Amino acid sequence: HVVARLKPGVTVTMAKAQLDGVQANLARAANEKLTLASIVTPLLDYTVADASQQLWLLMGGVLAVLLVVCVNLGGLWVTRIADRRRDWAIRAALGAAPVRLLCHGLVYTPARVFNGLGVGMGLAALGLQALLASAPAGIPRLDQVHLDVRVLGFALLLSMAAGLLTGLVPAWRLSRADPQEQLKASGAATTADRSSLRSRYVLIGLH
């Protein structure tokens, strides 16, 4: 068994052909009737084996859960921002720049990110133990599955992206709204305006 790195431009088929030529020379040099052949397998296929489809299904399930969580958080954030649109309109009427309003809308994003990261990593540690206990025996390298710094870094980046996504879009739309229209809408009725309703409908449709 040999682990090798292919040169740039060399395919698996080309590598197998070259190895078969080496094997044929060894058979002729041995002066014996030998039939030697090589088997070339990409390292990823050797490592994952037949569990590739199961792992992709698991990844798809994780991404689907993440999408549902982002949609739910986005709906809650749209409702919260809609309730505070009068306050934002007053700030804009007094001269607050759109960038400052946008940053004000994202002031709670780091807290949400780190709180969600802490809860998520705790649940991940517990869920991983349950998953390893009930996983099929055919999954290769199952004993090497664990949480490390790379997983923590990936979870942090994913949490920051989800937090910014769920908070940036509603805050950006509200920061660009006309403050006079916002004051009129909030003073004339207590229901949400068309922009907020449209955002809610989109989130409901995604859900």
Side-chain angles (χ1 to χ4, degrees):
H1 296 275
V2 177
V3 179
R5 182 186 298 273
L6 296 180
K7 291 183 178 180
V10 178
T11 63
V12 175
T13 304
M14 296 170 59
K16 177 175 172 51
Q18 294 181 10
L19 289 176
D20 287 339
V22 174
Q23 298 279 40
N25 293 332
L26 292 176
R28 287 192 296 267
N31 294 324
E32 297 180 4
K33 293 182 179 181
L34 297 177
T35 301
L36 302 178
S38 60
I39 300 176
V40 180
T41 304
L43 184 60
L44 180 61
D45 296 340
Y46 178 80
T47 303
V48 178
D50 297 332
S52 176
Q53 185 177 2
Q54 301 175 11
L55 295 176
W56 279 114
L57 289 176
L58 179 61
M59 179 64 70
V62 171
L63 294 179
V65 172
L66 176 63
L67 178 61
V68 172
V69 172
C70 289
V71 170
N72 289 334
L73 289 177
L76 294 175
W77 193 237
V78 166
T79 303
R80 183 175 181 180
I81 289 181
D83 294 337
R84 300 181 58 187
R85 65 182 183 273
R86 180 177 176 83
D87 178 54
W88 284 46
I90 294 175
R91 291 173 182 267
L94 292 177
V99 176
R100 186 171 183 179
L101 291 175
L102 185 62
C103 295
H104 179 72
L106 298 177
V107 68
Y108 297 107
T109 297
R112 296 201 311 269
V113 167
F114 287 107
N115 289 337
L117 179 63
V119 175
M121 291 301 295
L123 294 177
L126 297 177
L128 181 61
Q129 298 300 324
L131 183 63
L132 293 178
S134 60
I139 298 181
R141 301 177 62 184
L142 191 62
D143 56 336
Q144 301 181 18
V145 177
H146 64 281
L147 299 178
D148 55 8
V149 179
R150 293 174 297 179
V151 175
L152 180 61
F154 177 76
L156 177 60
L157 293 177
L158 198 60
S159 299
M160 292 177 62
L164 290 176
L165 179 63
T166 56
L168 183 60
V169 175
W172 177 77
R173 294 191 60 176
L174 191 57
S175 64
R176 292 177 59 88
D178 186 4
Q180 300 297 332
E181 295 295 333
Q182 293 290 330
L183 289 174
K184 291 179 181 179
S186 61
T190 57
T191 57
D193 57 0
R194 293 182 179 180
S195 178
S196 299
L197 290 175
R198 190 181 301 112
S199 301
R200 295 181 186 181
Y201 292 154
V202 171
L203 292 172
I204 292 174
L206 290 175
H207 198 283

